[in-house]
Amino acid sequence: IPMSMAVAFVVGIVGGIGLALVREYIDDTISSQIDVSAYLKVPFLGLIPRLPPDTSPAEADLYTHHNPRSSVAEAVRGLRAMLEMNPNGPAPRRLLVTSSVAREGKTSTAIRLGVAYAQMGKNVVIIDADLRRPRLHKAFGEDNTVGLTSYLIDAAGVSEIFRPTPVPNLSVIFSGGLTDHPAELMASARMHDLLDDLEKTFDIIILDTPPSVALSDAVTLSGHVDGILLVVKEQSVSRAVVKQTIGMMQQVE
């Protein structure tokens, strides 16, 4: 019996270590701050915890507005503080929020960050620059008939496209109607003019853009902003895909 127990103990340890190594080899997703530092070589700005399981989809995007003392709201304020303490220069006034693939939480993060800045007393506008699969209007329960595309095709003025929200100091610009040429509109001179005009009115401009790995919109707009916030869903996307996104952004500095 002692010999059998000793053999079982050794086999168990070796087998457990082997399974752990195999799992680590197979799972190449980003799952911690250490992974960001070790594999992505970019600054880690914060971790936004998951919402409570009983949170409804209708409550999710504005959760931090209605629950300002929650751990999620505190984490977003920490993210805001990291952006405000930018070691490379002034705090960004134009911030682009993107992700590598869909459903990583970029729109929710853009909204919650906008709420956090608005709670500081800053005048904030969030622009839905995802002209393919817009979602900002759904978060606020509004129609999407007039918005960014209306201005870019010269069908509306600046003052006609932004709307107030239930959050004090926070305004939004929805995407407007869908278009066949979103990339061309993002690269147009009118988009650059819009950001310049908005900067005269708003302290913070947040652009919610499409996922970057398959689309060029975020890369195109990155030349018109002060910083890029890349949202990565924990244990969801491979490191190679995230590194590809970062590489695309670094190519345009």
Side-chain angles (χ1 to χ4, degrees):
I1 292 175
M3 179 63 69
S4 298
M5 292 182 64
V7 170
F9 180 74
V10 172
V11 170
I13 290 179
V14 173
I17 293 174
L19 286 173
L21 292 173
V22 169
R23 181 180 178 183
E24 177 67 19
Y25 178 78
I26 295 174
D27 181 14
D28 71 337
T29 60
I30 301 297
S31 57
S32 69
Q33 177 179 349
I34 296 175
D35 288 346
V36 174
S37 303
Y39 298 110
L40 302 184
K41 312 295 185 184
V42 293
F44 175 82
L45 298 177
L47 174 67
I48 310 299
R50 298 181 187 275
L51 297 179
D54 59 344
T55 306
S56 70
E59 299 172 324
D61 292 313
L62 290 173
Y63 181 84
T64 56
H65 171 58
H66 298 298
N67 301 274
R69 296 185 179 181
S70 65
S71 60
V72 178
E74 190 61 38
V76 176
R77 285 193 287 269
L79 170 60
R80 180 194 66 193
M82 290 293 290
L83 292 169
E84 287 288 294
M85 295 186 296
N86 178 20
N88 298 319
R93 293 190 60 194
R94 301 180 183 183
L95 185 66
L96 186 150
V97 180
T98 190
S99 61
S100 298
V101 298
R103 304 186 66 82
E104 290 196 79
K106 63 177 182 60
T107 299
S108 297
T109 301
I111 294 172
R112 293 169 190 162
L113 189 59
V115 170
Y117 274 116
Q119 290 172 342
M120 286 181 67
K122 292 184 178 291
N123 203 12
V124 184
V125 62
I126 304 174
I127 304 173
D128 192 343
D130 188 342
L131 303 185
R132 292 173 175 84
R133 299 182 63 183
R135 198 177 73 79
L136 191 63
H137 64 287
K138 296 178 181 178
F140 290 93
E142 299 279 355
D143 66 86
N144 195 29
T145 54
V146 178
L148 179 60
T149 55
S150 307
Y151 174 84
L152 295 180
I153 64 174
D154 203 12
V158 176
S159 60
E160 300 174 69
I161 60 174
F162 62 82
R163 309 186 193 185
T165 71
V167 182
N169 303 319
L170 178 64
S171 299
V172 290
I173 296 177
F174 301 137
S175 67
L178 298 182
T179 174
D180 295 331
H181 307 286
E184 288 75 8
L185 291 179
M186 290 294 102
S188 66
R190 284 187 67 81
M191 186 66 197
H192 182 73
D193 294 341
L194 173 64
L195 295 176
D196 288 343
D197 287 341
L198 291 175
E199 201 168 43
K200 300 173 184 176
T201 305
F202 295 96
D203 302 311
I204 302 292
I205 302 169
I206 299 175
L207 292 95
D208 176 25
T209 67
S212 302
V213 73
L215 303 171
S216 61
D217 300 19
V219 177
T220 300
L221 287 172
S222 64
H224 301 310
V225 298
D226 305 320
I228 298 170
L229 180 66
L230 179 63
V231 180
V232 180
K233 186 176 182 180
E234 178 189 35
Q235 297 180 330
S236 178
V237 185
S238 75
R239 299 165 189 162
V241 172
V242 181
K243 288 177 72 173
Q244 180 183 350
T245 302
I246 294 172
M248 291 168 61
M249 297 299 178
Q250 290 174 338
Q251 285 179 2
V252 293
E253 302 184 350

